Amino acid sequence: MDDAQAAHAYLASPAVAQRRAAADATEIRVRQAPPSKPLSRWNDTSPFYAGAALGPAYGSEAYCTSGIPAVSTWDGRQWLVTAGHCYNVGDNVSAAGGNYIGQVKYKRADLDSVFIEAPTYRYTWDGLDATGYARYLNGVRNVAVGDFTCQLGYNSKVVCNIRTVYAGNASWVVNGTTVWGSYGVPNGGGIVGRGGDSGGPVIYLNDPNSRQLNGIVSVGYGCGASGCTTGLGWVDVWTIFNGFSIKLNPS
């Protein structure tokens, strides 16, 4: 129970006690429940998920988005991965709402990835508002040409119908370093991403109630004030896993 004291008082009231005695009801044991985690994609709390807004905030917009809740395969340390162009080693990262997440310990420019040491859990935020809802990450897979994906960067919330046209063999330059990954276009037109989506998860809808992770957002094309309309580039999940010896946090 959220309020064990109130539950005890209710069960001990004369009317309730009389009804239970007449019905020969089974004994009820009341215990205080642990506090629930507030659902807020804007101000995520530990353990941290993918798809959360990262600060500093710009009004109601995120600076970047968390992408992979991971754990080291060599020493069990937990990591929250986002785009490398968002932060530098030594930066202290917080959710857009202010909750502290952790410090950037490593950066791989060739993967456009930074690794924030923080408790994580293999869920992603989803949904079209700041509250959002969480979906389990049921696995990982690099995309194939023709796959239709979604990206869950915070400022766009959810963008789907992204058709993969280059799978693992697209390249772009981030701060002077060539990054390899996959590239997709908005099928039938429309906005494929916005500033602040960087680092957010690219996912495949292989199940109604969970998501498959394909990579993290790195670059947008044809970007203007309203968003990016030409295409989206992301670093493939297995490239990051193999390059930094991590995997999805199994917890």
Side-chain angles (χ1 to χ4, degrees), residues 13 25 28 31 54 71 87 100 139 206 229:
S13 65
I28 295 177
R31 290 187 298 179
L54 303 181
V71 62
Y87 304 104
Y100 181 68
N206 65 339
T229 58

Side-chain angles (χ1 to χ4, degrees), residues 79-104:
W79 306 97
L80 189 65
V81 185
T82 189
H85 62 266
C86 295
Y87 304 104
N88 293 307
V89 173
D91 286 350
N92 290 302
V93 180
S94 296
N99 285 335
Y100 181 68
I101 296 174
Q103 188 178 61
V104 176

Side-chain angles (χ1 to χ4, degrees), residues 126-149:
D126 207 327
L128 296 173
D129 55 36
T131 299
Y133 57 83
R135 286 289 184 260
Y136 183 70
L137 292 170
N138 59 53
V140 300
R141 181 181 68 89
N142 287 354
V143 296
V145 172
D147 281 352
F148 285 87
T149 66

Side-chain angles (χ1 to χ4, degrees), residues 19 62 101 111 113 143 177 213 216 219:
R19 287 199 303 269
I101 296 174
L111 303 176
S113 300
V143 296
T177 300
L213 182 65
I216 62 172
V219 65

